Structures are given as structure tokens and as C-alpha cells.
Amino acid sequence: MTNKNTTPNAMFDALLAGKSTSTAVFMKLPDGTEITYADTVARAGQMASVLADEGVTPGDRILVQAQKSPDMLMLYLASIIAGSVFVPLNTGYTAAELAYFMEDADPALMICDAGNVAALEEIAAPLGVKVAALNGTDGSLANASTSAAQAAPAPRGIDDLAAILYTSGTTGRSKGAMLTHGNLLSNAESLAEDWRFTSDDVLLHALPIFHTHGLFVATNVTLAAGSKMIFMPKLDLDELIRFMPEATCLMGVPTFYTRILSDERITKEMVAHMRVFISGSAPLLEETHKGFTARFGHNIVERYGMTETNMIASNPYDGARKPGTVGFALPGVELRLSGDEAVGGIELKGPNVTPGYWRNQEKTDESFTEDGFFITGDLGSFDDDGYLCIVGRQKDLVISGGYNVYPKEVELEIDMIPGVVESAVFGVAHPDLGEGVTAAIVVEPGNAPDTSDVKAALADKLAKFKQPKAVITVDELPRNTMGKVQKNLLRDEYAEIYTKG
Ligand code: MLC
Ligand code: AMP
């Protein structure tokens, strides 16, 4: 880490300050537009002054739900300069889900796409939250910033908050993981070094930017190394193929790699020049890892992370990248397994770890051991060479295409549907998404909703990625003698619903 608590603005100084005159390209857009580092620093500085005009002061939260765009990324950088706390939200969240975040984050400003302002104002007004358009209208933040002066970076040390990222919980309520300037910087710097990023690199950026992976890992590593990124709205294989010749690296969730493998147009020659492919956010199946090596001659670097901790471990850049493992702890990260068995709960300590959950001391206390290690809820073991293997989860969680879905949250909504007696939500192997969200429901005789009723009832309640891909009606849920639903039996029984035929 290059910054100490005394620096005026820890992230600005490390990631942006030296680049205010750099003509190197930071972002290339699909239409060919290039945005240099100097443009980026200037535009973010201008947007920071518009945030100040809107009443945002250092430490204030700004809640953001907007489509991926260069303006959205500028807003993140503007928030660093303004000293505010960036709180990005999944664009799939429904109005019902947003009301909770607005209340919990207690933001000075909610920023969204122009088309959503009116709808969000309805939720925001009773909470006293102001809503502004990011782009698309004359008065939007992006437009107003084109004529604004550049704001000076607000003083922020490594312990000050830079962001809050909401992550669902096993009780169904989302918690805001607080991330400091120091958390984000330490991770960006160690990853850039670990993965050997330099100013010669060109990253294919096709991930969403409301989560750790696309926002912090991809963007901050690019900034830390002075690399360039090709900034695409989403994963689109046609676009990936179009830009592959200009790129040197790709970061993705495992679904990126299964989709690349199932596209016959992508050849070994097409990717021969690539420096590195990196995967994370969900387990990369050994079969995918080995299939990728066999077909393209590239060993994917699999890494492991979490919203609360940023990145924890990675397979080595130099040295064996072992399928089915997530490698070694990153520099500065202390990793251990709980208990005395070969398999234990993964716990860690380090400059990357959240100071806790926003306004939720109880959850914060529950998430750390007495000696200050963060409890991930993942189960791991070390192989003979010291590589960490994630072998299971202590938490009831489904990871679908890299998005976390907490079954409890889905079950609570399903149980409210008329005619449903009870439900159990679980993950089943899915060829594209890794795991598919699956619901087993017990229904009232004579008043039974069918699968399409359940899906329709959830449409405006839960973001699409949380909605079950399959709903199965069962006579009763399997329970153990303590009355606990045995999801493992459901997982076994329906193991092939997405793979057979
Ligand atoms: C889209 N859909 C999903 C979904 N993504 N459903 C379940 N799970 C998902 N992940 C829905 C769409 O709404 C659509 O619904 C249907 O599925 C098909 O959509 P698609 O067009 O095929 O989806 P696509 O846009 O291609 O998105 C798939 C994806 C995307 C995998 C590319 O989800 C993605 O970019 N995921 C990355 C998530 C991520 O960044 N995770 C990092 C979290 S950070 P319908 O009904 O309209 O057809 C973290 C820490 C760490 O975990 O370690 O990094
Ligand atoms: P999130 O809360 O969305 O940040 O998701 C974090 C969780 O994703 C971790 O606790 C793990 O369960 C999972 N995860 C991330 N990377 C990997 C990986 N490489 N292999 C297996 N699971 C992973």
C-alpha cells in the first residue's frame, strides 16, 4: 500500500492523481470512442462538483441504480473525489426491493436512469430522499457536469468509507458491507501485482459494475496499473469476438467461460495472443477449466473473493494453476480454517476486509471471530501443496451466473402467494448459470397455484435473477427429525432437471 492515513484522498491519490495529463486510453467504447486518463480525471472532477451542488458532502451515501455506461463509471470516480460513499444497486432490483435500500442506506441522493426518475420519486418522496437522473436529460448529472469546474478531491484517509455494497443475508434481509478506501486500494494494488497488470494490458470488461467483480476488481486493477479497458455494456459473444484481437485479458464469472466454450466460432488462434483469463465469483468447474485448456491452450486463473472481503486468494500467475482450487492467500491476507478437521470454515484477516455492516452491529459481531477473523461461510480445505479448495458452504446460498441468491428471501415471497403452504428454494446444477434457482412448493388442495402463477406472483417482487428457473410441486418437504428441511435430498432428487434432455 502506498497510502497512509495522512494522504488527502487515499484512492484519488493512488489511482487518479498522477494521470491528470495522461493521454493514455482508460476506456474504449464499442462505438470506437476512446476516453483518456486525463479526460477521466477531468470528467470525474466535474461530476464531483455537480454532486456537491446537489448537496452531497463527504461521508454522505449516494445510492445509484443505472445501466452500465461510462457515465456510471465516472460517477463512481466522482464519488471518490467528492468523498461520498458509493452505493450501487443491481439494475434488476424491483421497486419493492429498492424501497428497503433507500431507507437503510439513508442517502443524500438517489441517482438513476432518466426513465426511472418518476417511479423512484414515488418511493423516495416519503423517505425524504432526492432523486436525480444520471444522464439522458438536460438537467442530468452527466449533462450538468460538462460545464462545471473540477472539484478538488475531498480529504479521505484509508479508514474512510468509499462504498457500501449490499449483499443478501441468510435471514432474507440485505446487509450493507462497508468498504473503506484502504480495503479497495490494498486489493487493487495486490491484484495488479499478482496478475502482472501493466500499462500494456487491455481488459475486456463485460461484467456489470454494481458488484465487486466488475466495479472493484476489474476497474480498480485497470486504474492501478494504468491499463486500458474495452468497456462493453454486457456479455455479448459477438462483441467479445470483435474486440478479442485488441485485448490481452478477460475477467469473468464461470458462465463467461462455459459460453465461450460452447461457441464454435472462438478458436485457439483467436485467443493465442491473450495474456490471461481470470475467473471468479462462483466455482469454476474442473471440467470447464480443463476444457478451456484443452481447446485454447490457456489455463484460467481462478480466484476467490467476497463482497465483504474483496479478493481473498488466487491461483498463481507463475506456477501451476490448479483446476478445482482457488490458489493461495493474496499478499497481506491471513487465511485459516476453523476447527481441527481437514475441512473447516474459511476465515481471514487483512487490509481487504470490511470493517462491518452498515448500521448493523449485530450482524457485524456475528461475522467476526473473537480474535478478529472474518467468517466467510464457505467451507474449505488445503491440498498437499497448500492450495485452497472450496468444498462447500455453511450458508444457505445459491450462486446463479455469479449472482448470489439467498433462498430465505425467495421462500418468504413464495410463502405469501395464496395457495402456497410452504416452500424450499435450493440450487441445482445448471449448464449455463452454474446453479439454477429451484423451488419446491407444497400447495393447498383445491387452491393450488401452478408454476406460472408462482412466477407471475414474483415478477414485481424479486429481481429476475432471484426468480426460480423451475418450480416443482411436492406433497411434502423432506424433513429431518428436528423438523429442518433437508435441501440436500431435494438437490439430489432434482439434480438433473436442467441437464437432462
Ligand atoms: C440474467 N438472468 C439471470 C442471470 N442473468 N438469471 C439467473 N442468474 C443470472 N445470473 C436472466 C435474465 O433476466 C433473462 O431472463 C434470462 O436470465 C436470460 O438472460 P441472458 O440474456 O442469457 O443473460 P445475460 O444478460 O447474458 O446474463 C448472464 C450473465 C450475467 C451470466 C452474463 O448474469 C452476468 O454478467 N453475471 C455476472 C454477475 C457478477 O458480476 N457477479 C459478481 C458478483 S461479486 P428472461 O426471463 O428475460 O429470459 C462476487 C465476489 C467475487 O461474487 O468473488 O467476485
Ligand atoms: P458475494 O457475496 O456475491 O460477494 O459472493 C461471495 C461468495 O461467492 C463467496 O462467499 C463464495 O461462496 C463464492 N465464490 C466467489 N469466488 C468463488 C470461487 N472461485 N469458487 C467458489 N466460490 C466462489
Side-chain angles (χ1 to χ4, degrees):
M1 287 254 335
T2 50
N3 283 276
K4 299 280 172 284
N5 236 342
T6 49
T7 57
N9 182 308
M11 286 185 77
F12 179 84
D13 292 353
L15 302 179
L16 295 172
K19 294 163 180 152
S20 58
T21 55
S22 167
T23 53
V25 175
F26 170 48
M27 264 195 263
K28 175 171 175 171
L29 310 182
D31 70 2
T33 307
E34 294 190 328
I35 302 174
T36 64
Y37 272 92
D39 290 343
T40 302
V41 175
R43 281 164 71 163
Q46 288 178 305
M47 213 183 259
S49 83
V50 178
L51 286 176
D53 293 344
E54 292 282 343
V56 175
T57 58
D60 281 348
R61 275 78 52 214
I62 58 169
L63 198 60
V64 186
Q65 188 194 39
Q67 294 303 321
K68 184 177 178 183
S69 70
D71 287 335
M72 167 87 173
L73 203 72
M74 291 302 164
L75 182 62
Y76 160 59
L77 301 175
S79 177
I80 291 171
I81 295 171
S84 50
V85 182
F86 193 66
V87 192
L89 298 173
N90 193 313
T91 45
Y93 286 147
T94 61
E97 289 166 300
L98 284 178
Y100 168 77
F101 297 117
M102 246 187 240
E103 193 162 1
D104 192 70
D106 188 13
L109 191 62
M110 160 101 219
I111 299 157
C112 62
D113 294 316
N116 291 339
V117 171
L120 288 183
E121 269 174 346
E122 276 184 40
I123 312 168
L127 299 167
V129 175
K130 199 161 121 190
V131 182
L134 174 59
N135 45 25
T137 57
D138 286 348
S140 68
L141 281 158
N143 279 344
S145 68
T146 54
S147 55
Q150 287 179 46
R156 295 277 97 182
I158 56 169
D159 295 330
D160 286 316
L161 295 190
I164 295 176
L165 258 56
Y166 277 92
T167 153
S168 301
T170 39
T171 52
R173 284 254 109 155
S174 288
K175 311 160 286 187
M178 300 191 285
L179 296 160
T180 65
H181 278 242
N183 291 155
L184 300 181
L185 256 188
S186 63
N187 219 233
E189 289 176 347
S190 57
L191 291 174
E193 200 180 316
D194 222 60
W195 295 336
R196 311 282 192 274
F197 270 74
T198 71
S199 55
D200 291 335
D201 275 309
V202 182
L203 173 73
L204 289 166
H205 191 307
L207 288 159
I209 52 170
F210 43 71
H211 275 310
T212 304
H213 198 162
L215 186 62
F216 301 141
V217 183
T219 307
N220 291 348
V221 165
T222 301
L223 288 167
S227 316
K228 166 173 158 182
M229 58 189 182
I230 298 176
F231 196 67
M232 307 174 182
K234 60 181 291 228
L235 178 66
D236 174 336
L237 289 180
D238 294 345
E239 289 290 90
L240 216 59
I241 291 169
R242 182 157 79 96
F243 286 107
M244 192 74 80
E246 298 176 38
T248 64
C249 20
L250 173 70
M251 290 184 193
V253 298
T255 300
F256 280 36
Y257 295 104
T258 49
R259 287 192 185 177
I260 288 174
L261 272 171
S262 58
D263 192 317
E264 292 304 327
R265 294 172 301 170
I266 303 176
T267 60
K268 192 169 183 173
E269 293 68 40
M270 197 184 281
V271 300
H273 67 285
M274 291 289 280
R275 187 175 68 77
V276 67
F277 290 90
I278 301 169
S279 175
S281 306
L284 182 72
L285 295 179
E286 282 198 47
E287 161 196 328
T288 311
H289 192 298
K290 289 178 177 162
F292 204 87
T293 307
R295 179 145 149 224
F296 300 119
H298 280 283
N299 284 317
I300 298 171
V301 172
E302 184 174 7
R303 57 73 181 165
Y304 163 51
M306 204 178 164
T307 301
E308 289 90 332
T309 63
N310 298 285
M311 299 307 101
I312 301 168
S314 174
N315 266 279
Y317 186 81
D318 296 316
R321 302 170 188 174
K322 286 199 196 179
T325 81
V326 292
F328 306 109
L330 288 168
V333 176
E334 216 180 315
L335 199 57
R336 73 180 187 195
L337 301 179
S338 62
D340 303 324
E341 310 291 325
V343 171
I346 301 174
E347 299 177 348
L348 72 143
K349 216 179 214 183
N352 51 323
V353 177
T354 177
Y357 296 106
W358 172 248
R359 293 184 180 168
N360 197 337
Q361 194 57 47
E362 193 184 330
K363 286 278 174 230
T364 301
D365 292 343
E366 280 172 17
S367 303
F368 287 88
T369 62
E370 278 184 7
D371 58 347
F373 278 71
F374 182 80
I375 303 164
T376 63
D378 293 311
L379 287 170
S381 64
F382 290 104
D383 77 4
D384 292 343
D385 300 316
Y387 285 65
L388 178 66
C389 311
I390 299 172
V391 298
R393 298 178 197 139
Q394 292 166 316
K395 50 195 175 191
D396 190 15
L397 165 72
V398 180
I399 307 184
S400 167
Y403 289 139
N404 284 8
V405 181
Y406 280 86
K408 187 74 190 169
E409 186 183 3
V410 185
E411 288 161 4
L412 288 173
E413 291 295 345
I414 296 179
D415 292 350
M416 280 194 277
I417 299 171
V420 172
V421 178
E422 59 175 353
S423 63
V425 170
F426 51 98
V428 171
H430 188 288
D432 182 41
L433 299 168
E435 287 180 285
V437 176
T438 310
I441 57 170
V442 178
V443 295
E444 282 171 16
N447 184 24
D450 64 19
T451 297
S452 57
D453 296 331
V454 171
K455 289 190 174 179
L458 296 178
D460 63 349
K461 298 277 191 297
L462 294 174
K464 210 152 204 172
F465 69 89
K466 297 179 191 169
Q467 295 174 23
K469 297 279 179 210
V471 179
I472 306 146
T473 303
V474 295
D475 291 336
E476 58 180 3
L477 297 177
R479 288 194 142 82
N480 65 15
T481 48
M482 307 291 288
K484 192 170 162 17
V485 176
Q486 293 174 294
K487 292 192 179 179
N488 55 329
L489 297 184
L490 289 168
R491 273 191 288 269
D492 290 348
E493 184 163 358
Y494 299 103
E496 293 181 351
I497 49 171
Y498 301 114
T499 48
K500 64 168 186 238

